Amino acid sequence: MGDGYRFVGKPIPRNDAGDIVTGKTKFLIDRKMVDMLYGKVKRSPYPHAIIKKVDKKKAFKLKGVKAVLTWEDVPDWKGGTPRYTRVLDRKVRFVGDAVALVAAETEEIAEEALDLIDVEYEILPAVFDMEEALKPDAPQLYEEFPGNIVTPGVPFFGPKSLKEVVMGDVEKGFAEADVITEGTFGYEGIPNPMPPEPPGAIALWEEPNKLTLWVSNQSPYMDKILLWHIMGRKVEIRTFGGPCGGSYGSKQMSWITQCHAALLSRATGRPVKLYMTKEEHLAAFVMRPASRMKARVGMKKDGTVTAIKGTWLIDTGYYSMTTQSQIAVGCGEVQIAVHCDNWDLRPVIVCTNRNASGIVRGFGGQELKCSLLPLISLAMEKLGLDPYEVLKKNFVKPGQGYFWRDGIWYVYRGIDYSKAMDEGAKAFGWKDKWKGWLIPTSINGTKRRGVGVGVHGNADIGEDASEAHVRLFRDGTAMLFSCLSEHGTGQTTNFLKMVAETLKLPLNRVSLSPPDSMVNPYEFGPAGSRGTYSIASAAIRAAEDALKRLFELGAQKLGVSPSDMDTEDGMLFSKHDPEKRIPWIAAMGPDRTVTGYGRFEPDYTLTNCMMTFVEVEVDVETGKVDLISVVNTSDAGKIVDPKGLEGQLNGCLGSAGIDTAIFEETVLDRRTGHILNANMIDYKWRTFSELPEIKNVILETPMESHRFHAVGIGEIATSPGPSAVLMAVSNALGTWIHEYPITPDKVLKALGKIKGGQKEKDRALELGGAR
Amino acid sequence: MKSFSHYNPKSVEEAVQVLSTYDGKAKPNAGGTDLLGILKEKSLPEYPEAIVNLKTIEGLSYIKEEEDFIAIGSLTKLSEIAGSQMVREKISLLADAAKEVATPQIRNMATVGGNLAQDVRCWYYRYPHHLGGRIVCLRKGGTLCNALSGDNRYHSIFGVAPMEKYPCAEGCPAKTDIPFYMSYIKEGKIDEAGEIMMKYNPIPAITGRVCPIFCEPKCNRKSFDEPLAIRCVERYLGDQLLENKEKFYRKPCKENGRSVAIVGSGPAGLTAAYYLRKKGYSVVVYEKLKNAGGMLYNTIPSYRLPKPVVKRQIEALEEMGIKFKTGVEVGVDIRLEELSDRYNAVFLAAGAWKERKMGIEGEGFAISGLSFLMSKEELAGDIKGKKVAVIGGGNVAVDVARTLLRMGATPSVLYRRTKGEMPAFEEETRKALEEGVEFSFLTLPKAIKKVDGKLELSCVKMRLSGKDESGRPRPVPVKGSEFTMLFDFVIKATGEEPEWEIIPGEIKRDIRKEPSGAYKLEGNLFIGGDFANGPSTVIEASASGRAAFTLIDKWIRGDREDFIDEMVKQRPNTSIFVDIPRVSIPEIPPSERIKVLEGEETPDVGWNEIKKEAERCFNCGCLAVNPSDMAVALIALDGEIVTTKKRVRAEELFTDSGLGKVLLDPDEIIKEIRIPKPKAGSHQRFLKFTLRKPVDFAIASVATSLVIKDGLCVDARIVLGSLAPVPLRAKKAEELLIGKPIDESIASVAASLALSDAKPLGMNAYKVEIGKTLVKRSIFA
Amino acid sequence: MEKKRKEGVRSGKKKKIKLSVNGIGYELEIGDKPGEVDYGHTLAHTLRETLNLTGTKVACDHGACGCCTVLMDGKAVLSCMTLTVECDGKNITTIEGLKDNKTGALDPIQQAFIEHSAFQCGYCTPGIIMSAKALLMENPSPSKEEIKEALSGNFCRCISNYQAIDAVITASNRGR
């Protein structure tokens, strides 16, 4: 192979592969501690109520019960943005909100104790729809959020933190437009990324203020930072990560569960393991925010978007921790995907009486795009433009720019993704399959096929800081010190590959430090797609720094200049005179280690890109939508792990991705606030039986990122798909669908086959503007 | 999981024995894939005390080919059925259905018996307890089927599994099947609704006006918003019945040659007369007053019950051939013995007219309430502008007071307890108060004296202390609280009792109170209504009249038949939720009300409102569908199910499963299924629609078994799954196919027919289209 | 009635159950003390908590996701929907039992899963491998459709399904 790499880009099995296939991998849920207790949470039956009285005497009397805690027993730990949500509150705000905590010798005893806690509630009226919540007489969730509008902005992103997309002059933009369309699209299925391992934590509290937490997510270091603020900056926290049974972003929002475990350990002095059941996971943990957008779009005949003006409502559920961040990033991302000089897009975050929204793969951008791309499509349809061409034209090009999450304008210095898009279109056969707007690709009896395309890009590949140490040992081995948990991307192996490549060591001589926040430097974690650029940059720099120090030692020994030094497989040698070579030990001596330090400073001038083409088949008699094929296309600069990348991109279907357009949704009873499908039979997920054909077309145009010219793209695989499916189904049916997921009832309604159908059609016409 | 006792029986007998000792508190485990879920969810209010593992029973796992049928042991795993070559060849439908169940692992565990007996998948029913507490839906003894007003995308489109007993009907003394007639009104079918009504209550125009509504407070809808305005609908229906009396009060087709005399023409007498006449008896009603109708006509004020309504009711009954002899007092004008001789039976329903004595000094100065109400016209001139005391707290007292007000007098009601204890209907008391009637509670008159042309009433104040034998608070005089008041008139309405004197002394009157309200005396004498039970409500008296009819009829006919069987109709399924508020029944303002003595104070409500109100009826039942794929297949194949208690066609077992009735007794176990060997030319098809494969329970499924001979369909069984509370045979579609060649167009028509009776709810209309498609494709694909 | 029930308990109650897990015989006491099997324990619970065989995973705990799949007498079953007290005399194989203990060799399926990176987070992998194992024991040369069908009761949220199918094909080819 021409690139001369030994590991980068090679199909090398992951380090943890052997443990995974033999069942040896210990996920957090598999861990036990000596003397460990089990925690359980008693949950509210009402969506909105004040806890008037709690009687825990009976529960406490049950043999094996060690602690029963309610809001009266716990410190004033608060989370949320801003921090207004108490870990245990006197007020409950959704069906399933925590009312009391129990620690007991076994899970069964803890569970039994929950029923022995008597709670008296004062029931308050509740609100489940964002527009209802905004009405003047709506029930109010927090005194601090009048009108149920959550304070915008993210302190962590700086004083100018992006809250909206406002620039140029939209009226001027509309005046320049050849068509103006207007409509409302919702992405409101509140799907759940649903990692298989449910959220949980093990906590050990040592008086007076020391907390050790074993966590399961991709960013163990960040738990320490988040909890430090939540716990009033008074607790000394050490976090341990470890193999994580799926997260898709979501488990980074485990703070409530972690606090519950910590409180129970604090009350008992013993380690406490607290795990959600799958039902709790689906009904009381975080899910994707709901999104509804009403906007006007102006477009020229050549596909130039001249103006976008609209309101973006985001339902965050009963609190927001990261919704503002998701909006900030989403607002940044939308400028990457859709170039437009005149914007007036105003987000409003609303809280309602359902469980909270949190981080999910696609982080704000998916939500925004699922509503906005269809809105822009209405304009394309009116002008008879090919959506693939329009999306390609409007994706950010080098020299253009965007306001990123910190409110600062960045000029894009990356590559033009048009080539990758063209390759993808070719692989998909877009030119043959695209027959025009609202025209099926083919009709075969009751089956109609349609195609659609979506796009997404994210400058998060260089977001946030990373730090790493690389320590070299005399025996020719090295260790990467980075606070990392493996959560499925294979990145822990990839970083080792890059360190090994840099140190020119065999892969098996490089290892990773335990994911312990005490021994490792700051690490934001492989959130978004930042791992490949940000974390790897820190690791590569640390390796280079270590090597530099080692070369100095070696140069002394060999009597050459450090710049003449090189290494391979644990040997040091002179580049001019390769015969001059010594093993590392000879340079380091028996009593030394060499440590290099690397840091990555945030860089928002690069973005990744994902364009997804889909073909669907709709049975017009039953309304069933089948996904036939998917082509994901991008340019990764350099593929580090071909099989891992393939897995990540195939992941576009799952974890609240493309399938949120077809069958994935959380069903909320909007009269009572109960989540009805909180189990894996009624919550729909993609099975082995119905796998569409997937092709991933990934180019490798070297990027100015780090030594290996790669950028991460894994996270965004889920994002362009849903709007592409919406487009494809609309084309197959010949009429616009405005809501996700496109279940048979919606299809049959759109076709006018069941009641409400005509009305729905009228609405589509009305929203779609004149036609 | 919470623990339980556990048994591994070796034989069916042992399993049954254990199950029966637990009396429903032990659950059999035939595979566990459904049961363990329920245990983990703790979704049922009662956690089982024991689990009886059926899998240790030997000899229940087999697939056998007999001469005429294939027998499959109930513990046979679904994977074995799906994988059996013989099953696939002979009854492919069953193999296909088995293959469609859940996932490979589950098919390796689940048994056919377990699949047939599994519980519903409704997500309200199965809402896990640890997410804030289980939902106590109607199926679990709650008051609401949450799916009706909630998310019902996966629920029945063919109505509900009815309850065994409806709370509204149970509340009604006549046990009127209210949801039944409401469902007809929803469909605009007044005649059918009337038929149902008449089965329980033949005088709804009257009860629809004066009933104190025992039903409405029981209405399940009240836990959702407000109870159904049942009386309002009943009144409308009653008026319609009278309007079309030729249809509803028809002469019997055949006279039965027997005769009954009825003494008294109040609600009990009228009701008994109606049912007797309907059955062919010749009926003569004796009424001592000038006008028929008893209390209905003679004492209930017109503003509540207009006289023309009672008249029309009597006329309707007359047209049936019932004879009314008014102005004839039994015991005075005619002897009871004579009636007894002349008629096959005599029903004594003379009411309760005798005013109870207060036993106070000067009681003779007081006018009796009933006689006042009967002869108010004569007093009209005297009473205007006068101050009148009304003693008592019952309906008569309030009727008197409100009537006085309308006659221009100033009534003052004296009652010895408080408002809360008043026996008068709350609604009446409320109206009296609104109109300005003065109430003196805790006031007991002790004497009446005539002073200067006025009546001086000496009273004492009371307080409530302890309880008397009726369970009501006992009024006790407050010492030193005596006082006097002056009135122009005093009317006493302190309760009435029957005038049993008309029964000759030698006939012993039995004082037992029958729950039915009627019973037999000596000879051919029957007794009912207020005459037997003391003062009660119109509907209670009417119910007692019906009970008397049953007794008399049975007695005369010698127990040969039961009249209830006359009309067994399939209950229409109309459980469509409408989110509309209770009808607002217009009420005339009190100041206007008191100006009118004769006119009815509650105006009519129009048909549109009535229909809308009826649509509010939840038709309480469970909307969950039966989740078993195997049941659908088995019924299409006309299979049998052999249990430890019975051998029954699968179809019958599943039609039996209403709410509150389960397929099997707690100690009953399925032992075997038997499938007749299909005839030559058999075409079988099982189609299951889900959002995705596999895992899912059917959104809709269809099992179709056709027999084609010489190009014609000679037999058809089409069964719809997951569309109704139980697997449902599409009989109209089957009938259509028989005798015809099968092609695409007949398949389409059959599909439409199969779903023609569907009544989709808010969110599951799409299931109709899917059902049609599956039926069509199962017939011709 | 009470009396009868007590008799029932006595006659129905077993003090111990015997089962074989990965070829090792276990005799487990029935009771509520640590290390004992309670009537309410599922096989998944017993494997994970009592026998410390945590390779068997629990995700949905309701029989939908297949993460807890083990082999019982050679058939793939769900250990989360099986009561341990109903496993007397059964032969159980878990993911820990696939590797050849004598030679240390991985099962061909495990080997193929490594080669194909047929997992991402790896949580569902043991269940998927056990389903694949049951399939190949019954049908050593399955078609792709048969593989999909056999794995259709297994959840993989990361969508490693495609690579898992390829891995099973590879393993079955090696078995030929």
Side-chain angles (χ1 to χ4, degrees), chain B residues 496-507:
Chain B
E496 306 78 31
E497 40 191 44
E499 291 172 297
W500 289 316
E501 294 78 6
I502 64 166
I503 306 173
E506 64 271 22
I507 298 174

Side-chain angles (χ1 to χ4, degrees), chain B residues 179-383:
Chain B
F180 203 167
Y181 77 73
M182 287 291 175
S183 56
Y184 279 125
I185 293 180
K186 280 186 192 186
E187 298 187 334
K189 295 180 176 166
I190 287 277
D191 289 2
E192 283 83 348
E195 258 185 88
I196 302 297
M197 173 60 90
M198 300 286 270
K199 207 173 123 179
Y200 300 92
N201 171 7
I203 53 168
I206 291 166
T207 50
R209 288 176 164 84
V210 297
C211 190
I213 45 173
F214 296 96
C215 48
E216 289 187 24
K218 301 272 167 69
C219 174
N220 279 338
R221 180 141 185 160
K222 80 169 190 293
S223 61
F224 181 78
D225 50 11
E226 281 184 282
L228 200 66
I230 299 169
R231 187 174 59 192
C232 180
V233 179
E234 177 179 337
R235 171 175 156 180
Y236 181 90
L237 186 55
D239 286 348
Q240 288 301 309
L241 300 187
L242 293 182
E243 198 78 6
N244 300 288
K245 54 181 188 278
E246 65 290 347
K247 236 190 289 184
F248 294 99
Y249 295 92
R250 269 202 306 261
K251 283 200 168 71
C253 314
K254 224 172 76 189
E255 300 290 333
N256 71 11
R258 313 294 177 96
S259 64
V260 179
I262 295 175
V263 181
S265 63
L270 297 183
T271 302
Y274 167 83
Y275 290 116
L276 288 164
R277 183 65 197 133
K278 201 164 177 285
K279 231 173 169 201
Y281 289 90
S282 116
V283 180
V284 182
V285 182
Y286 292 85
E287 169 58 56
K288 68 175 175 180
L289 298 174
K290 205 167 75 212
N291 290 299
M295 292 258 185
L296 301 174
Y297 188 88
N298 295 293
T299 69
I300 298 181
S302 260
Y303 57 84
R304 285 176 60 202
L305 179 60
K307 305 254 179 281
V309 174
V310 186
K311 273 194 168 151
R312 279 205 297 275
Q313 183 69 70
I314 303 284
E315 280 162 21
L317 293 167
E318 275 175 338
E319 281 185 27
M320 291 178 80
I322 297 165
K323 287 191 192 71
F324 287 87
K325 294 202 170 178
T326 53
V328 181
E329 186 171 358
V330 175
V332 175
D333 301 314
I334 187 165
R335 284 171 56 236
L336 184 59
E337 292 87 336
E338 206 181 319
L339 294 181
S340 188
D341 290 343
R342 215 192 290 166
Y343 295 92
N344 291 95
V346 180
F347 175 42
L348 299 169
W353 288 82
K354 197 165 78 181
E355 225 125 353
R356 226 179 262 142
K357 286 235 176 329
M358 290 190 289
I360 61 169
E361 195 186 317
E363 190 166 348
F365 291 118
I367 310 165
S368 110
L370 289 180
S371 36
F372 166 77
L373 288 170
M374 275 193 291
S375 54
K376 55 182 180 293
E377 289 81 5
E378 293 155 31
L379 290 164
D382 297 341
I383 218 144

Side-chain angles (χ1 to χ4, degrees), chain A residues 509-538:
Chain A
R509 291 217 212 153
V510 185
S511 58
L512 186 64
S513 64
D516 177 351
S517 71
M518 193 176 258
V519 301
N520 292 304
Y522 179 90
E523 177 51 69
F524 190 80
S529 296
R530 68 182 295 277
T532 300
Y533 178 27
S534 312
I535 299 176
S537 291

Side-chain angles (χ1 to χ4, degrees), chain A residues 686-735:
Chain A
R686 178 72 53 176
T687 66
F688 273 87
S689 301
E690 294 181 313
L691 295 173
E693 190 191 326
I694 295 193
K695 257 186 238 165
N696 299 309
V697 179
I698 307 300
L699 308 192
E700 294 184 271
T701 309
M703 309 229 186
E704 286 301 318
S705 58
H706 52 62
R707 184 172 160 158
F708 303 106
H709 311 290
V711 292
I713 51 171
E715 191 230 3
I716 60 170
T718 57
S719 301
S723 66
V725 170
L726 198 78
M727 188 191 290
V729 175
S730 299
N731 286 336
L733 296 179
T735 182

Side-chain angles (χ1 to χ4, degrees), chain A residues 5-275:
Chain A
Y5 296 139
R6 292 164 72 182
F7 315 116
V8 169
K10 303 294 179 285
I12 296 168
R14 269 164 54 173
N15 277 11
D16 51 355
D19 284 354
I20 284 177
V21 302
T22 53
K24 262 176 74 183
T25 303
K26 286 271 181 200
F27 295 91
L28 179 62
I29 201 169
D30 301 327
R31 292 193 180 278
K32 272 191 216 171
M33 308 274 160
V34 175
D35 234 13
M36 190 169 84
L37 296 173
Y38 295 85
K40 283 271 171 200
V41 182
K42 184 177 180 75
R43 300 191 176 277
S44 163
Y46 305 110
H48 203 186
I50 303 276
I51 299 170
K52 284 179 71 182
K53 224 165 77 188
V54 185
D55 183 353
K56 37 190 203 182
K57 283 196 291 289
K58 269 185 284 172
F60 215 82
K61 275 187 198 148
L62 187 70
K63 197 175 159 233
V65 171
K66 297 297 166 191
V68 183
L69 304 175
T70 67
W71 69 278
E72 291 169 297
D73 310 313
V74 302
D76 196 27
W77 295 349
K78 283 180 185 163
T81 304
R83 267 191 289 282
Y84 293 146
T85 305
R86 224 171 165 254
V87 164
L88 273 184
D89 202 355
R90 197 186 164 200
K91 195 175 177 187
V92 287
R93 294 183 177 84
F94 72 99
V95 175
D97 204 349
V99 173
L101 311 175
V102 172
E105 297 285 357
T106 68
E107 274 189 278
E108 289 79 6
I109 296 170
E111 206 180 300
E112 204 183 330
L114 297 182
D115 275 346
L116 300 175
I117 303 170
D118 293 323
V119 187
E120 208 181 291
Y121 298 93
E122 180 193 330
I123 302 164
L124 303 173
V127 62
F128 305 109
D129 179 86
M130 36 191 162
E131 270 165 69
E132 292 295 318
L134 290 173
K135 287 184 179 165
D137 54 350
Q140 301 290 303
L141 271 76
Y142 296 84
E143 276 174 30
E144 296 89 341
F145 297 139
N148 296 315
I149 296 175
V150 180
T151 319
V154 188
F156 185 63
F157 292 174
K160 289 167 73 184
S161 151
L162 199 61
K163 301 183 190 78
E164 57 198 13
V165 195
V166 179
M167 68 175 97
D169 178 346
V170 284
E171 290 318 315
K172 187 171 145 272
F174 284 124
E176 288 164 10
D178 290 319
V179 297
I180 298 168
T181 52
E182 188 168 1
T184 303
F185 280 85
Y187 185 55
E188 303 184 48
I190 43 176
N192 197 305
M194 197 168 67
E197 181 195 28
I202 301 175
L204 176 63
W205 183 280
E206 289 161 281
E207 288 299 340
N209 67 338
K210 221 171 120 184
L211 173 65
T212 307
L213 263 180
W214 287 263
V215 302
S216 170
N217 62 40
Q218 69 261 50
S219 302
Y221 198 93
M222 294 315 286
D223 288 323
K224 166 194 165 105
I225 293 189
L226 194 65
L227 292 173
W228 184 69
H229 290 291
I230 287 164
M231 296 177 180
R233 303 175 187 179
K234 287 175 191 147
V235 181
E236 191 188 301
I237 302 157
R238 178 182 185 183
T239 47
F240 279 102
C244 166
S247 169
Y248 321 109
S250 66
K251 285 191 192 158
Q252 275 184 286
M253 283 295 99
S254 298
W255 65 276
I256 293 184
T257 302
Q258 292 164 350
C259 286
H260 288 165
L263 289 169
L264 288 170
S265 178
R266 183 173 170 267
T268 57
R270 289 167 64 176
V272 174
K273 181 175 183 175
L274 194 150
Y275 252 90

Side-chain angles (χ1 to χ4, degrees), chain B residues 79-225:
Chain B
S79 56
E80 288 161 25
I81 295 173
S84 157
Q85 195 60 32
M86 190 263 284
V87 174
R88 184 150 295 284
E89 276 166 21
K90 301 262 158 63
I91 34 175
S92 62
L93 203 163
L94 196 73
D96 289 343
K99 185 109 196 281
E100 291 279 338
V101 175
T103 65
Q105 292 97 317
I106 287 184
R107 294 195 291 274
N108 281 340
M109 303 166 74
T111 59
V112 62
N115 183 279
L116 292 170
Q118 68 187 301
D119 210 342
V120 298
R121 300 301 308 186
C122 168
W123 45 30
Y124 294 97
Y125 180 70
R126 295 188 92 116
Y127 187 81
H129 183 54
H130 65 272
L131 289 183
R134 66 183 67 84
I135 293 173
V136 182
C137 67
L138 194 71
R139 197 180 183 89
K140 292 187 221 167
T143 55
L144 287 178
C145 172
N146 302 59
L148 189 63
S149 61
D151 197 303
N152 45 43
R153 66 183 71 185
Y154 296 153
H155 289 78
S156 166
I157 53 169
F158 283 98
V160 294
M163 297 182 78
E164 238 176 351
K165 285 179 174 175
Y166 293 92
C168 49
E170 284 303 297
C172 175
K175 303 280 176 272
T176 311
D177 193 338
I178 295 161
F180 203 167
Y181 77 73
M182 287 291 175
S183 56
Y184 279 125
I185 293 180
K186 280 186 192 186
E187 298 187 334
K189 295 180 176 166
I190 287 277
D191 289 2
E192 283 83 348
E195 258 185 88
I196 302 297
M197 173 60 90
M198 300 286 270
K199 207 173 123 179
Y200 300 92
N201 171 7
I203 53 168
I206 291 166
T207 50
R209 288 176 164 84
V210 297
C211 190
I213 45 173
F214 296 96
C215 48
E216 289 187 24
K218 301 272 167 69
C219 174
N220 279 338
R221 180 141 185 160
K222 80 169 190 293
S223 61
F224 181 78
D225 50 11

Side-chain angles (χ1 to χ4, degrees), chain A residues 334 374 377 453 477 495 689:
Chain A
V334 79
S377 298
V453 59
T477 61
F495 301 137
S689 301

Side-chain angles (χ1 to χ4, degrees), chain A residues 416-452:
Chain A
D416 183 346
Y417 283 104
S418 300
K419 193 177 153 210
M421 293 177 186
D422 286 341
E423 290 300 318
K426 214 186 289 166
F428 181 77
W430 176 263
K431 289 288 170 202
D432 292 333
K433 289 178 177 168
W434 172 256
K435 306 289 181 197
W437 283 101
L438 305 184
I439 300 171
T441 299
S442 64
I443 300 177
N444 180 10
T446 65
K447 307 279 176 80
R448 291 197 208 167
R449 290 199 176 189
V451 293

